[in-house]
Amino acid sequence: MTLRKEAFLTAFSQPAQCTSSEEFTKPDAFFGANVFGLEAMRKRLPSAIYAEIEQTIEEGKRLNPALADVIANAMKDWALEHGATHYTHWFQPMTGQTAEKHDAFLSPYQKGHGINEFSGKMLITGEPDASSFPSGGIRSTFEARGYTAWDPSVPAFIIQEPMGSTLHIPTFFYSYSGEALDRKIPLQRSIQALSSQALRILKLFGNTKAQYVRPMVGPEQEYFLVDARLAALRPDLILAGRTLLGKASPKGQEMNDHYFGAIPPRVLSFMQDLEHELLLLGIPAKTRHNEVAPGQFELAPVFEDANSACDHNMLTMNMMRLVAARHGFVCLLHEKPFLGVNGSGKHNNWSLCDSTGQNLLNPGNTPQDNAQFLVFLAAVLQAVHEHSSLLRLGTIGAGNDHRLGSNEAPPAILSVYLGEEITDVIMHIIEPNSAQSSHKQAMEIGISTLPPLPKDSSDRNRTSPFAFTGNKFEFRAVGSSQSIAPVNTALNAAVADALDTIASALEAMVAKGASIQEALQTFLPQCFKEHLPIIFNGNGYTQEWVHEAKERGLPNDNTSVAALGRLTDPAVMQVLTKFGIFQEREIHARMDILYENYANTIAIEGRILLDMLQTQVMPCVRKALGEAASSCHAVRTLLPESDNSAEESYCSTLQQELSSLHASCETLKQVLAQTEQQQTVRAKADNAQTHILPAMAACRLHADALEGLLDDSLWPLPHYAEMLWVH
Ligand code: ADP
Ligand code: MG
């Protein structure tokens, strides 16, 4: 029996792996048990110190460094009680992954003795030998130091392992000269910018109670599970996280029988185990279900402030891979693991919440609340309209390019779906007497009440990249493997910029003696009218929309390389530097890192494919061809009178496909070498996109045809049908 068949048979009969523990059924009891959060701190810190750290966490106040020793000591005691032997500064470098370097608490003391040590300094700063992380040229090799700094606004946590646990301290990562080398610093800066600008609007409405405004984020995470024994036979899945060849399964997603179907028992026990781990870490896992493609699933948490949501999503992705392995699965977070069925995304649900708990994107019950809602709505429309290129930059990546705009995910064109009711309100504000509007009487902003708006309109438009869904916006173009930090940084920056211009306009009118209602009555119709072109409630998957969007002047950068080119556009640079979210130098560095990452990703895929074709596919085709040719020859000599045309034609088809595959491989080799020789990262990325990707597609065409022609017992790679349908 071939390795492939053996793996398939074991995978097929694999029972669900259940750890029956009563603990699992009491999530309220263990939620957050491995987190050094407010609850744990209150118990262990002197009340004055607790009050200070609480303010840091809740209100973002700067922490007095003098308190670090006391906090570190309490944190250490707590960690030791939880079985920790080591601690690590946990950070998010530009690799797209998280990074950690563990240090033992134990320090040698006298001969044969040791003590557990953890000081305030060890808590606050670290200096990992981080010279190999991407810096885009910010650190020259002689000054390669990178530093980590504690982010006290999100709690430290423990990752449990059977042989000892590790205390993880969330940190920022920056260079010797203070430039951001991670994704958390720009996100944090954008959150602050957004808060200051939003408070200006609240102040105009007479709200002096709110101390801050925070973006709230709920990321819905899609993923695939593949049996580990099958995945182990596919170098493409192991090294690239996606299949680079593979004939479509005769049964795909056309019956929609997987979507929201009963969760297979083996998958369900993976989900339960995963949720247990996430809840221990204080990650509010909430929803689980089968997704559209066979083998595809989704996990959604309850929304949190953007900083926590971003950390938690990174942790969730790590945990998914880890727990999957425990259950004999490989978890694929890639945006397009399988051609021909849906890929995976990450819907980034986003809203604004002030310190009193008010959701600023909630249409209110009073005229005053409604007027305020309309201002924030206008700001989001303006943000998406004016900073579409910036927002698109939050979703770039070689993986996501396979998905955006391919009739399964929103197009790369950004538009906003508002639904009929709100669009109608806006039309009425622009043109009170228009025939289009269903509102009979004139609406005075801030005086009359908005008509009741449906909180949860059922006909939500799934084809829109940016949809208003009742009291939040859902940005759907994010890729499943991507950190949500860049997209939220972009969104916060764009909305902060819009709020800034809106606040300035309104403040000027109020300064001249207008009431806020009067100011809005003049301002909102103009503002909505100007940004009307960004509203699109129709089907975003059609070709007509692509044409119409062009007429409306909306950018359509449908590849990452094109989108990335916009990073240094003056308008993009301006909004990022204006609020100090990035310095110019950081932007240029990031651009280089992203080009390089893109080029490397594709070049690696090209090399994997070439290897698989040369060492796995072509040898087995040659073998098949040899067998077929000799049987043809035998028939021809022994039975010269018989009709042998079917066999002859089979042989010649195999021969032709093999020659074409061989020729395509030669081209792939050439373009890989040519990309390697390019002098700049941008040229490498360009070359990868325009030459390597088409060369890979040409190879795949022949390989997939051969997969459908060959004796199945010869084919070494697990088929799509086996990987997608066995759970
Ligand atoms: P869907 O129908 O798209 O799955 P859900 O209502 O289930 O939408 O919500 C999906 C995600 O949106 C969840 O993570 C949820 O916590 C998050 N969410 C709900 N309300 C808000 C909000 N006000 N701000 C941000 N995220 C939110
Ligand atoms: Mg959703």
Side-chain angles (χ1 to χ4, degrees):
M1 195 160 37
T2 60
L3 280 176
R4 194 195 102 222
K5 263 287 175 268
E6 220 171 294
F8 175 74
L9 290 178
T10 342
F12 193 76
S13 51
Q14 178 72 31
Q17 217 168 50
C18 304
T19 339
S20 78
S21 156
E22 215 183 307
E23 189 195 325
F24 275 60
T25 60
K26 299 192 169 58
D28 50 328
F30 62 79
F31 181 69
N34 287 348
V35 172
F36 191 61
L38 285 176
E39 203 46 44
M41 288 189 209
R42 199 196 330 260
K43 284 195 194 132
R44 286 163 194 272
L45 290 171
S47 54
I49 297 186
Y50 173 77
E52 288 219 27
I53 183 100
E54 189 187 21
Q55 280 195 334
T56 301
I57 295 169
E58 306 265 281
E59 293 161 32
K61 291 227 166 85
R62 219 172 235 295
L63 186 72
N64 175 0
L67 309 179
D69 274 326
V70 183
I71 297 171
N73 205 43
M75 199 185 272
K76 180 191 73 181
D77 288 346
W78 172 84
L80 294 175
E81 280 166 32
H82 282 72
T85 56
H86 289 66
Y87 71 93
T88 180
H89 275 198
W90 183 73
F91 57 107
Q92 297 170 26
M94 291 298 294
T95 53
Q97 310 291 322
T98 59
E100 51 193 72
K101 175 185 149 208
H102 299 190
D103 277 304
F105 284 118
L106 190 73
S107 276
Y109 190 45
Q110 282 167 351
K111 267 191 191 140
H113 294 282
I115 51 159
N116 285 313
E117 214 182 49
F118 188 58
S119 64
K121 188 169 175 291
M122 290 157 148
L123 166 64
I124 292 186
T125 54
E127 191 202 324
D129 174 21
S131 47
S132 292
F133 287 116
S135 77
I138 276 185
R139 291 168 308 157
S140 38
T141 29
F142 62 88
E143 195 40 278
R145 274 182 276 177
Y147 297 84
T148 50
W150 178 36
D151 173 9
S153 65
V154 286
F157 55 91
I158 276 179
I159 298 285
Q160 279 178 316
E161 291 291 348
M163 293 177 71
S165 306
T166 305
L167 171 69
H168 284 59
I169 301 157
T171 54
F172 300 110
F173 182 48
Y174 57 98
S175 73
Y176 180 72
S177 36
E179 284 109 348
L181 295 174
D182 73 352
R183 299 206 145 123
K184 257 171 86 87
I185 294 175
L187 175 65
Q188 195 61 29
R189 292 174 182 158
S190 75
I191 292 170
Q192 278 157 11
L194 182 58
S195 182
S196 323
Q197 300 311 319
L199 284 176
R200 285 172 67 193
I201 303 288
L202 296 189
K203 205 168 147 215
L204 279 164
F205 281 93
N207 178 342
T208 47
K209 270 195 285 172
Q211 303 284 310
Y212 55 83
V213 171
R214 278 194 188 145
M216 305 302 286
V217 173
E220 302 166 55
Q221 178 72 50
E222 293 180 339
Y223 60 98
F224 279 84
L225 289 176
V226 173
D227 184 90
R229 279 148 296 211
L230 293 167
L233 296 175
R234 304 240 8 170
D236 48 1
L237 279 189
I238 300 298
L239 294 177
R242 75 170 178 114
T243 55
L244 300 171
L245 70 167
K247 185 177 79 71
S249 165
K251 179 180 175 184
Q253 65 190 43
E254 45 288 89
M255 309 287 283
N256 291 318
D257 48 353
H258 181 69
Y259 187 52
F260 283 6
I263 302 172
R266 216 180 131 200
V267 174
L268 185 59
S269 59
F270 153 80
M271 290 173 166
Q272 288 165 325
D273 200 356
L274 172 66
E275 285 161 15
H276 176 239
E277 294 285 0
L278 297 180
L279 294 175
L280 280 171
L281 290 168
I283 301 174
K286 172 107 175 143
T287 309
R288 59 188 182 212
H289 62 83
N290 289 6
E291 255 303 327
V292 174
Q296 191 186 30
F297 307 92
E298 181 179 301
L299 176 148
V302 175
F303 64 99
E304 302 177 278
D305 69 275
N307 193 20
S308 304
C310 173
D311 278 13
H312 281 168
N313 183 248
M314 294 305 287
L315 258 179
T316 299
M317 292 194 285
N318 289 348
M319 238 352 136
M320 288 170 111
R321 295 191 193 98
L322 219 104
V323 176
R326 242 187 253 162
H327 290 257
F329 286 125
V330 166
C331 176
L332 303 173
L333 292 167
H334 195 283
E335 285 77 12
K336 195 73 185 177
F338 300 98
L339 196 70
V341 292
N342 273 17
S344 300
K346 182 142 54 191
H347 292 179
N348 188 81
N349 293 272
W350 180 95
S351 67
L352 290 171
C353 188
D354 76 9
S355 58
T356 67
Q358 188 191 181
N359 178 356
L360 305 177
L361 294 180
N362 212 355
N365 296 321
T366 63
Q368 162 111 352
D369 283 351
N370 281 325
Q372 189 181 295
F373 162 73
L374 289 171
V375 173
F376 283 98
L377 181 68
V380 175
L381 291 176
Q382 179 173 326
V384 183
H385 194 203
E386 289 183 348
H387 301 299
S388 167
S389 298
L390 171 64
L391 294 174
R392 171 74 179 92
L393 278 159
T395 65
I396 56 166
N400 216 17
D401 277 7
H402 298 289
R403 207 179 131 253
L404 292 188
S406 57
N407 279 345
E408 60 174 79
I413 308 164
L414 277 186
S415 62
V416 181
Y417 167 83
L418 285 183
E420 247 174 62
E421 294 86 355
I422 295 195
T423 309
D424 197 34
V425 168
I426 287 179
M427 296 311 294
H428 187 73
I429 289 171
I430 297 173
E431 197 66 73
N433 302 318
S434 87
Q436 288 158 308
S437 169
S438 60
H439 301 291
K440 295 295 167 263
Q441 77 265 43
M443 204 172 65
E444 282 183 70
I445 298 156
I447 294 173
S448 49
T449 321
L450 283 184
L453 296 171
K455 278 252 170 325
D456 206 25
S457 50
S458 52
D459 62 336
R460 290 189 204 169
N461 184 335
R462 290 277 156 189
T463 67
S464 171
F466 201 95
F468 182 69
T469 47
N471 58 6
K472 60 179 159 71
F473 281 94
E474 195 167 328
F475 195 174
R476 303 197 181 114
V478 189
S480 50
S481 71
Q482 298 178 324
S483 158
I484 54 168
V487 79
N488 285 298
T489 305
L491 193 48
N492 298 341
V495 175
D497 185 57
L499 288 170
D500 181 17
T501 55
I502 294 176
S504 298
L506 295 176
E507 281 162 2
M509 289 189 240
V510 171
K512 283 191 194 139
S515 71
I516 180 70
Q517 281 82 10
E518 286 161 351
L520 289 173
Q521 203 68 53
T522 321
F523 178 80
L524 278 181
Q526 294 163 8
C527 184
F528 281 133
K529 189 166 183 192
E530 190 181 342
H531 301 299
L532 216 45
I534 199 69
I535 301 173
F536 178 62
N537 294 329
N539 183 352
Y541 290 177
T542 63
Q543 205 48 41
E544 290 83 77
W545 168 233
V546 175
H547 295 309
E548 190 183 329
K550 195 170 177 196
E551 270 167 34
R552 293 190 188 188
L554 305 178
N556 180 9
D557 294 317
N558 58 1
T559 67
S560 287
V561 175
L564 191 47
R566 306 242 190 201
L567 181 52
T568 45
D569 279 2
V572 174
M573 296 273 266
Q574 198 263 344
V575 64
L576 291 175
T577 52
K578 168 178 174 186
F579 298 111
I581 295 169
F582 282 103
Q583 305 167 36
E584 270 195 31
R585 200 160 162 235
E586 291 171 325
I587 296 178
H588 288 290
R590 236 149 253 247
M591 193 173 196
D592 278 1
I593 293 171
L594 293 168
Y595 275 130
E596 190 170 13
N597 181 294
Y598 177 90
N600 280 340
T601 304
I602 291 176
I604 290 169
E605 288 184 348
R607 293 198 293 268
I608 299 167
L609 180 60
L610 196 57
D611 266 1
M612 290 174 76
L613 295 174
Q614 290 184 333
T615 64
Q616 295 188 283
V617 172
M618 294 211 276
C620 91
V621 179
R622 281 193 203 104
K623 198 167 163 200
L625 186 58
E627 282 171 14
S630 57
S631 97
C632 266
H633 179 73
V635 174
R636 226 182 288 128
T637 14
L638 299 174
L639 301 165
E641 305 297 299
S642 68
D643 176 12
N644 196 21
S645 57
E647 293 303 299
E648 302 272 357
S649 118
Y650 178 66
C651 276
S652 80
T653 310
L654 279 194
Q655 178 68 67
Q656 275 165 20
E657 287 294 346
L658 182 62
S659 314
S660 310
L661 180 58
H662 180 80
S664 310
C665 283
E666 290 308 305
T667 311
L668 178 56
K669 249 186 245 171
Q670 278 166 18
V671 296
L672 281 168
Q674 181 193 327
T675 303
E676 191 64 38
Q677 283 156 12
Q678 301 301 309
Q679 295 301 313
T680 64
V681 282
R682 186 176 192 150
K684 280 190 172 118
D686 255 328
N687 218 72
Q689 187 213 312
T690 44
H691 298 297
I692 301 181
L693 285 177
M696 287 172 68
C699 289
R700 180 176 189 155
L701 209 64
H702 303 296
D704 291 357
L706 284 162
E707 186 179 342
L709 289 172
L710 245 58
D711 172 355
D712 189 48
S713 68
L714 293 175
W715 194 258
L717 302 165
H719 298 301
Y720 267 31
E722 294 166 335
M723 292 183 287
L724 287 171
W725 287 106
V726 178
H727 288 92

